[in-house]
Amino acid sequence: MSEEITIAQLLVRKFGQRGVKKIFGLPGGGSSLDVIAAASAEQIEFILTKTENAAVMMAGALSETTGVPGVALMTKGPGLTNSANGVAYASLDRAPVVVLTDGFTPKQLSYITHQVFDQKAVLAPIVKATSRLESDDPEAEIDALLALACTEPMGPVHIELTSETARKIVSVRSGILTNEVRPLAQSPAHGVSSADQIQALGLRLKQARQPIVVLGLEARAHAEAIRKFVDALDCAVLTTYKAKGVVSDSDPRVVGIFTGGSLEQEAIAAADLMILIGMDPVELILQPWRYTTHVVDIAACEHPIHYVKPEIGVVGSLTDILHTLIASGHVEQSHWSLPALDALREDAQKQLTYLPVKYGVAPDRVAQLAAQCCRVAGVKPMFSIDAGAHMFSVAGFFPAERAGDVLISNGLATMAFALPAAIAAAVQDRNAPVLAFTGDGGLMMCLGELCTAVEQQANVIVIVFNDSALSLIDIKQQSRSMKSEGVRWRHHDFAATMGALGGLGIRISSEQGLIEGMQQALAHNGPSLLDVSIDPSGYPEQLKAMRG
């Protein structure tokens, strides 16, 4: 027995099999309409965004949160080009996303030039593959694309689907396409290391007295095994921004953030071995490796370009490698003391503490007070962080309890990410609030997505660090003794904007006002925005402490 369906229906059913429940996008009049209709029939929700860039970011954030491939849909031409920044985020932040665009048929290209350019060439540098699903076996093409997106290092794939192809009828064997969810396994891109290499790593671990574990983005899918490994080793832990929460920030062994900067230098100098676990070098800042401590590396895939060459490197499933190391008896309790770990953590936070402010609220206090209000309310929220000077305070002072609690663009480090990412997380789980920490500049780049939050009644609390400037760029301009030009604007009223769009908007200029605003936002059913006036004068010292 066989069933005849369209390629659009086949594609959407394949998405459903992999656990896709939402598609984000901005449709055109071509194949995207066929896909939306097919998605509705399969009970996959289509969420209309205000920009294609935000659609890809939402799809990527959802894939980072759930482990299920994300799907973003848009028209050809300007739809595709508007999505390019989001696709670059998915590429460099390792998010498995299907970027689904319309396209032209050969017949159309014989007479049309309007909106015509080589779409494949535009996205080629930032996607893992492109397909038009025009082979004799489109089902195999779809399977291969989804598998590739979820193979380490994960990333986006592009499907250019013409209306003609979307409506083409194909036969599939009955029973082959079911609604059963079959998540794709994450697999290494290259060969798995041998047992001898893992044995050598185990012997090296046994020699270390004060090792320090440094967790990166690949670690998020292996939190259980990593926590067991850290318990067995009982050592200091640093995490990148994206790995916050893999080991809970409330764990006394977590001493801070790792960026490749200077803030973590004291902790690393106190260790006699760095154990990188899931460290993707795309996360680190643009500075040479500055540490002299010996390094070993446990990675999900090979990274040919890296900041450091480890003494020993093993590649494969992080969970399998760590379980093998523990079972072999090579993982023993370290010689770290809790007072020493406490001192390292407290010293790092002291260096990040903001100078006294002349007006408004200090950025570190925004993070601390927001966390305090959540704690009092019994809420352990997911949160997103936009690129900008405020991210130092949020990453340093707002705790993460679980792997995936933090959504941040660290590989691309793009602005305009926090709001779309928070919306995606909030529509996935409507039972808990999601916080979005953003600068005013980043919010202005995606302001229309506040409408999406209101339309979806997403339980998002947007906290805007409103300092009327591109503060991180302003700092760099100041450091070069240059005149302040091109980095400042007038003070905008984002609270009024949110209110006009139908959400709750609150202007804040004091710590008490922030506490009261957070209490209102946590009690509000729907999106809210706290427009916090920030004194940016302490940012240069924070940046110096963080990066040197």
Side-chain angles (χ1 to χ4, degrees), residues 392-405:
F392 306 135
S393 290
V394 179
F397 293 101
F398 198 95
E401 296 298 321
R402 302 152 299 200
D405 268 359

Side-chain angles (χ1 to χ4, degrees), residues 199-223:
Q199 173 78 2
L201 174 61
L203 293 173
R204 183 65 183 89
L205 295 182
K206 229 175 176 181
Q207 296 170 3
R209 293 177 58 82
Q210 289 199 170
I212 187 167
V213 165
V214 182
L215 301 175
L217 68 84
E218 295 169 354
R220 293 173 300 175
H222 304 272

